[in-house]
Amino acid sequence: MNKDNSNMQMDPALALRLLADGAVLAIAGVPLGTEFGIDLCAYTIGPDFRGVKMIPPGVHYVWCASRGPYGDAAPRVGFVHFFHPNEILVREWDNELEELRPRQTADPVLERERIRKNLAQLERVLAPYDYRYVCQWKDLTGSVTESCVIRCQPELGTIRTNIELQSCADADRPRGGTDNISKRNTAAKLLLDESEMLPCLKPVEGTAPRFCTVPKRVPQNSPPADVSRHAIDCIAAVDLLFENFDNNPDALIEELQLAFVFFLVGYSVESLDHWRKLLALLAHSETAVGKYKLAFMKYSEVLAHQLPHLPEELMAPTMHNTVFKDVRELLVNLYAGGLMVSAERLIKRLAKHLNWHFEGLLDEDPEEQPVVIELPQGEVNWTS
């Protein structure tokens, strides 16, 4: 995220063209000192700020964070919108919720036309979109379409750092069995997974991003003979994932990009979790790389632009970092699946921007080598 208060230099002819074709975001009533951001740039609201002009067509993320009397900032609250050329979008400040909301007016169309007619007079209170970071933003969101934005954004439109949760009704809580076996199984499950002991909560309707459901690598109730097969190569789960998108790789890439910017700009915890689940699934199938080559070529390009923006705690190049570990496994499968060029391009970019190196990448994993068991002297193992 960039917070740059220096002046942006732009060719006057280019500025005129961008002013003619770009969209406008008009905002009203935002308190002085509020943090405001659009895409990769953050600012502080001043007395003569009423919005942003020259916004390039495409998807953009807008957010605000109110400030307390002692300078402490509240969590970011924002929305995503797909701007069209010359579009005028109007938002106003909600004093109670401390966030931007759609303008409450009887005739929004008339208001937008009035703004358009008076745009020349309003230019002095509209900040120009900062084109110094437009290439980075295009790299992160270049595949996202308007239909993807509509499908994935929360139903109520507002994106928060953490979604709002509410307790489930008692009747909705899962019930255990009454026999001794069920009780023993429940107790064992609680010992193995402490999250089962947490209160049963669910998102407040309309507040959560609407991403696809990520299939589990090992399907539930798989027979023991299939557990190892699914764990080594989760092609069955990847097939289910692509079925969610009607076998359209571009739709999956769009959602991957949108989920990442929900986290990068809006600090959405749920979006980061979704992005990591997708990485953990797509990284662990050599068969899927060969089957969906075009999708994995695009995915490697997407990761090359996303990974340098990771938070510091996810940048350590160690096997304790699950993101690094999954990327390493993905690279192995890219090589094995015939996408050597994509793998090498990703390796070079990660070495340059993150100082990630993958020594012994194609060496055989000791954990996957056969185990030799020495039998006691005099004992013979007969096989038919």
Side-chain angles (χ1 to χ4, degrees):
M1 184 62 59
N2 303 288
K3 189 167 184 177
D4 192 342
N5 294 321
S6 60
N7 291 326
M8 176 180 60
Q9 302 298 322
M10 183 179 292
D11 178 71
L14 176 60
L16 288 174
R17 181 170 62 84
L18 295 173
L19 186 61
D21 298 336
V24 170
L25 169 67
I27 62 176
V30 183
L32 297 180
T34 300
E35 289 192 358
F36 170 86
I38 179 168
D39 301 340
L40 297 179
C41 293
Y43 309 94
T44 300
I45 297 290
D48 296 324
F49 181 81
R50 295 294 183 273
V52 181
K53 59 186 177 182
M54 301 161 56
I55 301 173
V59 61
H60 297 281
Y61 194 108
V62 179
W63 60 270
C64 281
S66 60
R67 283 199 168 274
Y70 302 103
D72 51 318
R76 293 182 177 183
V77 182
F79 64 93
V80 64
H81 184 78
F82 195 95
F83 285 87
H84 295 274
N86 301 121
E87 181 181 359
I88 294 178
L89 184 69
V90 185
R91 289 290 188 268
E92 67 180 2
W93 186 252
D94 187 318
N95 287 312
E96 182 178 350
L97 297 177
E98 295 188 327
E99 63 187 46
L100 290 172
R101 67 182 182 190
R103 180 76 161 171
Q104 307 296 299
T105 179
D107 194 339
V109 175
L110 180 62
E111 183 178 44
R112 287 195 297 269
E113 288 305 314
R114 186 169 64 249
I115 292 174
R116 191 180 302 279
K117 290 178 180 178
N118 295 286
L119 205 53
Q121 290 75 29
L122 291 173
E123 275 190 34
R124 66 178 187 84
V125 293
L126 296 175
Y129 183 90
D130 199 329
Y131 274 77
R132 289 173 293 183
Y133 306 106
V134 70
C135 291
Q136 290 185 50
W137 184 250
K138 288 294 184 183
D139 288 338
L140 291 169
T141 63
S143 299
V144 180
T145 60
E146 186 172 15
S147 61
C148 178
V149 171
I150 295 171
R151 184 182 76 246
C152 294
Q153 68 182 351
E155 192 172 355
L156 297 180
T158 303
I159 303 170
R160 305 180 187 279
T161 300
N162 294 101
I163 60 174
E164 299 177 65
L165 298 173
Q166 63 184 0
S167 298
C168 290
D170 187 64
D172 296 333
R173 297 181 184 277
R175 302 295 179 181
T178 57
D179 60 305
N180 291 332
I181 296 178
S182 296
K183 290 179 179 178
R184 286 198 297 270
N185 289 342
T186 301
K189 188 176 182 182
L190 290 175
L191 288 173
L192 293 172
D193 187 0
E194 293 181 352
S195 66
E196 295 289 337
M197 303 176 66
L198 296 173
C200 189
L201 302 173
K202 64 179 180 180
V204 174
E205 188 174 353
T207 63
R210 294 174 291 173
F211 299 128
C212 73
T213 300
V214 180
K216 294 183 178 180
R217 285 175 58 185
V218 179
Q220 194 170 11
N221 301 323
S222 293
D226 291 341
V227 170
S228 295
R229 177 171 60 85
H230 288 303
I232 293 172
D233 191 316
C234 55
I235 180 60
V238 175
D239 283 338
L240 288 175
L241 176 65
F242 277 94
E243 287 177 11
N244 287 337
F245 296 94
D246 297 325
N247 292 314
N248 179 10
D250 291 339
L252 173 60
I253 298 301
E254 290 176 38
E255 184 166 313
L256 277 160
Q257 288 194 320
L258 197 60
F260 191 79
V261 297
F262 278 11
F263 159 70
L264 177 64
V265 185
Y267 298 167
S268 168
V269 175
E270 288 74 26
S271 300
L272 176 62
D273 181 62
H274 182 69
W275 179 85
R276 292 181 72 171
K277 285 179 179 178
L278 288 171
L279 171 62
L281 181 62
L282 293 171
H284 289 83
S285 177
E286 176 187 335
T287 308
V289 174
K291 186 175 181 179
Y292 304 103
K293 281 193 174 182
L294 181 58
F296 277 89
M297 288 174 62
K298 293 181 177 180
Y299 185 43
S300 66
E301 289 294 321
V302 166
L303 283 178
H305 295 297
Q306 291 178 339
L307 293 173
H309 292 277
L310 286 173
E312 289 185 10
E313 57 269 24
L314 296 178
M315 285 188 176
T318 70
M319 297 305 283
H320 297 291
N321 178 0
T322 58
V323 173
F324 177 82
K325 187 176 180 180
D326 287 338
V327 170
R328 181 185 177 87
E329 185 67 23
L330 175 64
L331 289 169
V332 171
N333 287 325
L334 288 175
Y335 274 110
L339 297 181
M340 289 78 72
V341 174
S342 294
E344 289 168 3
R345 290 177 65 179
L346 182 55
I347 288 173
K348 289 179 181 178
R349 186 172 180 88
L350 295 181
K352 178 181 178 181
H353 293 280
L354 288 177
N355 200 28
W356 282 10
H357 301 282
F358 302 92
E359 293 83 1
L361 183 66
L362 301 181
D363 294 344
E364 188 173 2
D365 191 339
E367 294 182 1
E368 297 180 1
Q369 295 179 354
V371 178
V372 178
I373 301 176
E374 295 184 2
L375 297 175
Q377 288 185 349
E379 184 175 339
V380 179
N381 183 23
W382 296 97
T383 58
S384 56

